Amino acid sequence: MPVHYVTYKGIKFPPAYNSVHSLSFAHNEFLVRDDDVFNITYPKSGTVWMTEILSLIRSHGHPSWNQTVLNSDRMPWFSTRLGLEAALSYPSPRLLTCHLPRHIFPKSFSHSTAKVIYTLRDPRDVVVSYFYFCKMCNSYEDPVSFEQFLRDFLSGELPHGSWFEHVRGWMQMKDRENFFFITYEELKQDLQGSVRRLCHFLGQNLDDDAISSVVQNASFMAMRQNPMCSSILLPADIMDQTKGQFLRKGICGDWKNHFTVAQTETFNRIYLEKMRGLNVAFPWDRD
Ligand code: A3P
C-alpha cells in the first residue's frame, strides 16, 4: 500500500504520528523551557537507546520507571500529534525526543538554556538499520531494494530528510554549552564512560552503583526483554513484528554485510563531498 507522507518544509514525515499542524506547532509555537532536555537524532541512530539511558539517569539508576512506563510516555515525541499533548502536560523538568532537523526545531529554543543531546551513528549503519525498519513499520514505504534505498538516503529523499543536512545543522551547535553530542559507536565501546559524561553534562550526580544500574538496564539484552522499549506493544497495523525486530542486531559495522564495493565507493565519494568543512572527526571516519 502506498504511504502518503506528511510534508513539512519540504521534508517527508510518516503519517501515523505526524501532521502538518503538529510539526508547524512544534516549529513555531512550542515553548521550550530552560530545564528541558532534548534527545535528538536522525532515525536509527540510537534514539530509543538514549531514551533508556536518560530516563535511567533521571531515576538515579532505579529501573522501575523504564520497566513500567512506555518510552514514548517517558520522553514524549513533542512534534507528533500524541506526543505534543503529552509534552504540553508534562511537568518540568521535561525529557523530550525528536528527529527534527535544526532548521525546523522550535524557534523558542534560540533564547533558552535547554539542553540538547545529539546522538549520531555511522551513516552506513543508519541506512542498513533504516532499511529493515521500513520493512516492518507500516508508516514507511516498503523499500523496493537496498540499492534504491541507499540512493534515496544519499539524495536526502527518505522520510526525515537528509542525514547530511541533519548532522551539519545540529553540529553547528557543537561549541555551545547546552549542546552535547555523542556517537552510537562511543556508547557501544564504553557505555559506562558515556553515562558518566552524560551525567556530568546534565549536572546529575550518580554514585557507582547507580551508574552500573544504568549500564545494565540500558544493555541491548535488557532492552530486548523490556516491552516498554522493545516496540512489541505497538499496534500490529503500525509495527509488523512478523517482519523483523525493532532491536534488530545492535552492532557496529553491519553495513559491511550489505554494501557492495561499488556502493561503498559511491557512498565514500558523496560522504566526503557533503561533509566537507565540518571539521569534526567521527569514529567511522577512520574506516
Ligand atoms: P539495528 O537495526 O542496527 O539493530 P533508533 O532508536 O534511533 O530507531 O535506533 C534503532 C537502532 O539502535 C537499532 O539498530 C537498534 O538495535 C539499536 N539499539 C537500540 N538499543 C540498543 C542498545 N542497547 N545497544 C545497541 N544497539 C541498540
Side-chain angles (χ1 to χ4, degrees):
M1 276 230 296
V3 173
H4 299 291
Y5 289 114
V6 168
T7 303
Y8 182 72
K9 302 278 178 198
I11 298 180
K12 293 187 286 192
F13 293 89
Y17 313 103
N18 300 279
S19 65
V20 170
H21 173 262
S22 69
L23 289 157
S24 165
F25 187 91
H27 182 202
N28 297 300
E29 290 171 69
F30 187 79
L31 288 181
V32 172
R33 304 177 192 159
D34 281 341
D35 54 5
D36 284 341
V37 172
F38 290 93
N39 170 23
I40 302 177
T41 56
Y42 186 84
K44 314 320 293 173
S45 304
T47 326
V48 171
W49 194 4
M50 187 53 75
T51 300
E52 294 312 292
I53 295 169
L54 294 178
S55 29
L56 283 159
I57 291 177
R58 179 61 64 88
S59 332
H60 290 261
H62 297 295
S64 55
W65 195 34
N66 289 51
Q67 289 171 351
T68 54
V69 179
L70 271 179
N71 56 0
S72 52
D73 290 333
R74 280 180 269 125
M75 296 196 59
W77 292 76
F78 70 95
S79 60
T80 66
R81 289 194 308 260
L82 290 175
L84 177 58
E85 270 176 47
L88 293 176
S89 59
Y90 195 117
S92 291
R94 298 183 294 191
L95 294 170
L96 300 166
T97 310
C98 75
H99 290 319
L100 294 178
R102 176 69 188 93
H103 67 283
I104 54 173
F105 195 67
K107 290 178 178 165
S108 60
F109 173 64
S110 314
H111 313 289
S112 99
T113 54
K115 291 182 174 168
V116 164
I117 292 156
Y118 187 59
T119 311
L120 316 86
R121 183 180 191 184
D122 184 331
R124 295 164 296 188
D125 284 338
V126 167
V127 71
V128 170
S129 179
Y130 208 172
F131 174 72
Y132 287 104
F133 177 73
C134 289
K135 283 174 177 279
M136 69 179 300
C137 185
N138 294 331
S139 290
Y140 292 80
E141 255 163 33
D142 205 5
V144 176
S145 64
F146 183 70
E147 175 77 25
Q148 180 60 46
F149 195 80
L150 178 59
R151 255 200 302 272
D152 290 347
F153 178 85
L154 290 171
S155 62
E157 295 298 312
L158 293 182
H160 305 283
S162 157
W163 180 89
F164 302 98
E165 282 167 28
H166 206 280
V167 169
R168 293 191 75 101
W170 279 108
M171 291 305 290
Q172 274 173 17
M173 290 195 55
K174 69 181 184 335
D175 298 323
R176 293 251 309 249
E177 258 178 31
N178 59 340
F179 183 81
F180 179 95
F181 74 93
I182 191 159
T183 60
Y184 179 100
E185 290 70 20
E186 289 169 286
L187 295 172
K188 281 291 291 184
Q189 203 194 347
D190 179 10
L191 186 53
Q192 180 155 322
S194 302
V195 170
R196 285 189 195 284
R197 287 172 55 212
L198 280 159
C199 287
H200 181 73
F201 172 70
L202 294 167
Q204 287 215 232
N205 258 328
L206 267 62
D207 63 22
D208 288 350
D209 286 351
I211 301 261
S212 299
S213 177
V214 175
V215 169
Q216 194 186 322
N217 287 288
S219 72
F220 187 70
M221 287 323 284
M223 284 178 56
R224 260 202 175 168
Q225 282 157 16
N226 180 3
M228 297 298 145
C229 66
S230 65
S231 99
I232 59 159
L233 295 178
L234 289 177
D237 60 335
I238 292 197
M239 198 71 99
D240 187 343
Q241 310 284 344
T242 64
K243 293 189 179 155
Q245 264 186 302
F246 172 74
L247 294 164
R248 191 183 58 93
K249 282 195 179 174
I251 59 170
C252 300
D254 196 29
W255 67 270
K256 291 175 190 156
N257 300 316
H258 293 79
F259 279 50
T260 63
V261 172
Q263 286 167 344
T264 306
E265 281 170 9
T266 305
F267 183 95
N268 289 346
R269 180 177 50 74
I270 294 176
Y271 181 87
L272 285 176
E273 252 168 47
K274 298 214 182 220
M275 298 302 271
R276 189 168 296 137
L278 188 61
N279 294 329
V280 185
F282 295 117
W284 53 87
D285 290 332
R286 292 192 287 265
D287 271 12

